[in-house]
Amino acid sequence: MKDSPVIPSAWRQLRQHTQARIGLGRAGTSLPTSAHLDFQFDHARARDAVHRALRADVLAEGIKSLGLDPIAVHSAAPDRAAYLQRPDLGRRLDGASRQALEPFASPGEGRPDVALVIVDGLSAFAVEQNAVPFLDVLLPRLDSAGLTLARTTIAMQGRVALGDEIGELLGASLVVVLIGERPGLSSPDSLGVYMTFEPRIGRTDADRNCISNIRPQGLSYDVAASKLFYLIQESRRRRISGVSLKDETGNDGAVITADASPERLDHK
């Protein structure tokens, strides 16, 4: 049997600890054929995730099974091509969606605590795979704290900032956006969560807190939900979000600050 032409890398043993493309070896001055084919496959999966349309009806059924009644909305981007070429269009609702949400606005004393917005983003696949199981873990935490919810929305062709307009229209004190993140070559199914206190048009990334890489092979639903619940409680207590509010939980989602008493997490 002829010896393999692949020269192994000294780092090959480290590959068991990461999905990063390290320790691939070489064949002459090039990558081994198997590594090149793996790259092409993962690149194709990432491209498919970006261009795939959200199955909003299937997602809506999953969300309804959790006791929520979602309403579908659309950004000002008319199609996927416009969405990818004009990010600004994905940050605003179209006229029909604004009109559809106006009857659910609750300004003043009766305003809801949290608006949940599920957005396709750059990976509808990530939303379809992870949004419902994540909400299944998160909702009991919100309920235990007595937090009220605005009408849940499913937004298509949307960017993160779309949640600010939706939260403002619904009169919510705080918005939580679940969105498909930009696919990586090893993670086309990564869900991101963004939280903003007092959402309104014009908010910037500095006003938002982000929890990233939520998926079975990344940050678990339980830990991500614990981190988000902590941020929601602290955001409401301190009336801030974004760079002024730090995630003071550990890798298991438990609070690690020295002054973390039960009173500190009360939703007063």
Side-chain angles (χ1 to χ4, degrees):
M1 181 176 180
K2 186 177 180 180
D3 292 338
S4 171
V6 176
I7 301 173
S9 168
W11 289 7
R12 64 186 182 277
Q13 292 184 343
L14 297 178
R15 297 191 64 192
Q16 61 184 309
H17 303 294
T18 177
Q19 291 182 297
R21 296 177 188 278
I22 64 172
L24 300 178
R26 61 185 177 87
T29 59
S30 303
L31 281 174
T33 300
S34 60
H36 179 64
L37 292 175
D38 288 343
F39 174 85
Q40 289 185 313
F41 174 73
D42 289 341
H43 187 258
R45 284 202 310 166
R47 288 177 59 88
D48 287 347
V50 169
H51 292 281
R52 176 178 176 173
L54 178 68
R55 296 184 297 173
D57 54 342
V58 176
L59 179 60
E61 288 302 315
I63 294 174
K64 287 179 181 178
S65 71
L66 302 178
L68 302 176
D69 186 18
I71 181 172
V73 297
H74 203 288
S75 78
D79 52 41
R80 200 62 175 172
Y83 169 81
L84 294 174
Q85 296 170 19
R86 290 282 306 276
D88 58 310
L89 296 179
R91 300 185 182 111
R92 295 296 303 270
L93 290 169
D94 62 15
S97 295
R98 286 187 62 89
Q99 292 180 0
L101 289 180
E102 286 175 356
F104 303 104
S106 302
E109 293 295 327
R111 65 188 307 205
D113 296 315
V114 180
L116 296 173
V117 182
I118 299 95
V119 186
D120 52 4
L122 287 168
S123 177
F125 177 67
V127 176
E128 293 172 4
Q129 291 291 108
N130 301 304
V132 172
F134 173 72
L135 289 174
D136 190 34
V137 177
L138 174 68
L139 290 176
R141 288 171 164 84
L142 302 183
D143 184 62
S144 69
L147 299 181
T148 57
L149 298 179
R151 186 70 178 266
T152 301
T153 54
I154 298 175
M156 287 161 283
Q157 312 295 8
R159 303 275 177 173
V160 173
L162 189 67
D164 297 331
E165 182 175 8
I166 294 173
E168 183 178 22
L169 277 172
L170 295 176
S173 299
L174 183 149
V175 67
V176 172
V177 176
L178 281 61
I179 190 168
E181 295 185 309
R182 185 184 307 275
L185 290 175
S186 60
S187 56
D189 59 342
S190 180
L191 181 74
V193 172
Y194 291 81
M195 183 202 75
T196 309
F197 183 73
E198 295 291 355
R200 60 180 181 270
I201 295 173
R203 286 291 201 184
T204 69
D205 289 340
D207 299 314
R208 306 183 184 100
N209 292 86
C210 174
I211 302 172
S212 185
N213 195 34
I214 302 171
R215 59 192 183 101
Q217 293 77 31
L219 189 67
S220 72
Y221 303 133
D222 187 65
V223 171
S226 294
K227 287 178 174 291
L228 178 59
F229 183 64
Y230 168 82
L231 289 170
I232 289 173
Q233 295 287 68
E234 285 296 279
S235 177
R236 298 184 68 246
R237 185 180 74 88
R238 298 164 60 185
R239 304 187 63 80
I240 57 174
S241 62
V243 296
S244 299
L245 179 62
K246 304 303 180 185
D247 177 8
E248 297 175 347
T249 61
N251 293 333
D252 59 354
V255 180
I256 58 176
T257 51
D259 61 337
S261 62
E263 292 77 18
R264 188 164 183 248
L265 298 182
D266 282 347
H267 58 286
K268 298 176 181 177

